[in-house]
């Protein structure tokens, strides 16, 4: 266990029983009579994510004093949807490794991964019908829609080196921020709180999620695959021009810009990420992106200001810091 993992484990102490219930609920949904499916669900159980979204959901509820016995189930639904999106995302990205384990598309194939993602998604929504309130399914169906729109937009904007930062952030907020936002909103609103009570926590979640995605995008271009634990360089291979590269491109002279475009597009290049790192200095662009992630987390933490002091509130603050220090 790395120091960071131990730190995260300490942060989630206020919700330890809830996390255990959440995991039990997830495992129950992964079970299936088919031996073939069982092999696959056993495999993805090894992904052992950080489960930040489910944790945030329960911590937000605790910090507001509105935690119910249904919150762990809601958290399990969020985590199952997250898992479904990752299995699909690895197909889109042609990724090989996630959380140090072979991706489903790699261990089996794309067909299987698409179907398994659908299976997980169906299980998540099946579980949401067991809840006493429809708020969870309503909010999460809207979230999944937005998340898909973000992915579709991102796909249509590949190889766009002039994409402005606002547009990039809108897409990152849609594909990653929305699920964090929904988790935090559900934390405070579930089972029936009004929209207003969720607004601040929604914004908190979106900012944390956007910061997470920006750091993820930095790691994809400058991170070490061994440390990150998942395939890196996918964005360059797929033509996704993310904030550290957009910023580097914007600051570069025309010959360097041409070399950046070449690194993304010349057919003979095998290691595109390596080529990109050779033709330009990604340092300032990455620093800029990391500073932006910092600013977003700062803004998010400001939204916790009026909450009474509690271990849960402290944990929310700690998770914000944790996201910034993420190197994997
Ligand atoms: C990770 O991005 C991807 C997402 C946060 C969302 C992916 C969503 C879909 C593919 C839609 C799936 C829809 C349903 C209904 C299941 P990334 O590639 O930047 O991050 P990574 O480095 O973790 O791969
Ligand atoms: Mg991906």
């Amino acid at each position: 266990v790395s120091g960071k993992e131990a730190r995260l484990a300490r942060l989630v102490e206020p919700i330890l029983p809830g996390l255990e219930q959440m995991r039990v609920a997830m495992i129950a949904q992964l079970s299936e009579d088919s031996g073939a499916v069982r092999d696959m669900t056993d495999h993805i159980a090894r992904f052992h994510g950080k489960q930040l979204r489910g944790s945030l959901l329960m911590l937000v509820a605790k910090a507001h004093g509105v935690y119910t016995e249904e919150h762990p189930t809601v958290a399990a639904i969020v985590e199952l949807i997250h898992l479904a999106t990752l299995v699909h995302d690895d197909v889109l990205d042609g990724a090989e490794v996630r959380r140090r384990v072979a991706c489903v598309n790699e261990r089996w194939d794309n067909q299987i991964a698409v179907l398994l993602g659908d299976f997980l998604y169906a299980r998540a929504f099946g579980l949401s019908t067991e809840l006493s309130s429809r708020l969870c399914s309503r909010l999460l169906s809207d979230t999944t829609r937005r998340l898909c729109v973000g992915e579709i937009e991102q796909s249509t904007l590949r190889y766009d080196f002039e994409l402005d930062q606002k547009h990039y952030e809108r897409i990152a907020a849609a594909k990653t921020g929305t699920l964090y936002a929904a988790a935090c909103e559900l934390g405070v609103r579930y089972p029936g709180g009004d929209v207003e009570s969720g607004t601040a926590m929604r914004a908190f979640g979106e900012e944390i999620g956007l910061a997470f995605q920006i750091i993820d995008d930095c790691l994809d271009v400058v991170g070490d695959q061994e440390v990150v634990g998942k395939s890196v360089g996918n964005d360059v291979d797929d033509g996704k021009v993310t904030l550290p590269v957009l910023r580097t491109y914007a600051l570069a002279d025309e010959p360097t810009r041409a070399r950046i475009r070449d690194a993304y597009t010349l057919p003979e290049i095998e290691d595109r990420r390596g080529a990109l790192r050779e033709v330009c200095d990604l340092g300032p662009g990455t620093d800029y992106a990391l500073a932006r992630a910092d600013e977003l987390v700062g803004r998010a933490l400001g939204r916790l200001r009026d909450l009474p002091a509690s271990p849960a509130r402290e944990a929310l603050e700690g998770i914000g810091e944790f996201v910034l220090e993420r190197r994997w």
Side-chain angles (χ1 to χ4, degrees):
V1 182
S2 75
K4 290 238 181 69
E5 277 169 60
R7 245 190 69 211
L8 183 59
R10 266 200 308 282
L11 284 173
V12 297
E13 262 168 25
I15 48 157
L16 267 192
L19 274 175
E20 189 47 37
Q21 286 166 267
M22 174 188 91
R23 286 174 190 140
V24 169
M26 286 179 75
I27 289 168
Q29 293 307 314
L30 293 182
S31 82
E32 187 64 47
D33 288 342
S34 155
V37 173
R38 252 202 327 270
D39 279 352
M40 294 164 198
T41 53
D42 283 351
H43 181 80
I44 55 172
R46 290 168 57 207
F47 281 170
H48 286 303
K50 297 175 287 297
Q51 298 177 324
L52 283 180
R53 296 156 188 81
S55 300
L56 285 170
L57 188 150
M58 291 186 278
L59 286 168
V60 163
K62 286 257 168 175
H64 287 81
V66 295
Y67 186 84
T68 71
E69 61 180 16
E70 283 189 315
H71 274 81
T73 311
V74 180
I77 294 164
V78 168
E79 286 293 335
L80 284 168
I81 292 178
H82 173 54
L83 204 51
T85 68
L86 293 183
V87 171
H88 279 182
D89 180 63
D90 287 334
V91 175
L92 300 184
D93 291 354
E96 291 165 3
V97 194
R98 175 169 299 276
R99 299 167 185 168
R100 296 177 213 292
V101 176
C103 298
V104 177
N105 47 300
E106 177 70 13
R107 167 77 173 71
W108 285 273
D109 56 34
N110 281 352
Q111 273 194 26
I112 294 286
V114 168
L115 295 165
L116 191 70
D118 290 342
F119 167 87
L120 293 167
Y121 187 64
R123 285 299 217 170
F125 272 95
L127 184 55
S128 78
T129 65
E130 290 174 23
L131 292 168
S132 65
S133 157
R134 280 185 4 209
L135 182 66
C136 173
S137 24
R138 187 147 42 84
L139 227 142
L140 289 178
S141 64
D142 186 55
T143 300
T144 317
R145 172 184 63 77
R146 288 195 212 200
L147 198 145
C148 291
V149 171
E151 281 288 316
I152 290 169
E153 283 222 2
Q154 168 175 266
S155 203
T156 61
L157 290 165
R158 287 179 300 158
Y159 302 103
D160 185 345
F161 294 88
E162 318 265 339
L163 187 69
D164 67 52
Q165 183 175 342
K166 274 220 177 75
H167 202 164
Y168 158 86
E169 288 193 5
R170 214 165 58 225
I171 290 169
K175 74 169 195 172
T176 306
T178 38
L179 195 52
Y180 277 90
C184 295
E185 182 175 354
L186 279 169
V188 61
R189 279 183 70 194
Y190 189 85
D194 60 355
V195 178
E196 209 175 307
S197 72
T199 306
M201 284 306 102
R202 192 172 175 87
F204 169 83
E206 185 166 301
E207 283 153 355
I208 296 275
L210 183 51
F212 180 92
Q213 186 60 47
I214 291 175
I215 292 173
D216 203 69
D217 290 344
C218 291
L219 293 174
D220 194 82
V221 280
V222 301
D224 174 351
Q225 176 151 328
E226 290 304 305
V227 182
V228 180
K230 64 182 173 186
S231 300
V232 293
N234 290 333
D235 293 342
V236 194
D237 284 341
D238 291 349
K240 285 184 207 156
V241 195
T242 56
L243 189 55
V245 183
L246 286 170
R247 182 70 182 176
T248 304
Y249 189 86
L251 297 174
D253 54 19
E254 186 43 42
T256 309
R257 288 183 177 183
R259 284 194 289 270
I260 292 175
R261 292 194 299 269
D262 283 350
Y264 268 77
T265 54
L266 286 182
E268 67 272 18
I269 298 178
E270 285 217 0
D271 174 13
R272 295 197 181 282
R273 184 177 102 126
L276 175 68
R277 294 174 71 173
E278 256 171 45
V279 298
C280 63
D281 175 9
L282 287 163
T286 306
D287 288 346
Y288 174 84
L290 293 176
R292 174 66 180 143
D294 223 85
E295 183 186 321
L296 285 160
V297 169
R299 213 188 284 174
L301 297 189
R303 299 184 192 276
L304 305 174
R305 218 175 11 226
D306 296 335
L307 284 176
S310 70
R313 177 188 153 169
E314 263 175 52
L316 288 171
E317 289 163 351
I319 288 182
E321 313 280 339
F322 178 85
V323 164
L324 288 179
E325 285 165 32
R326 175 168 160 262
R327 289 291 173 271
W328 70 97

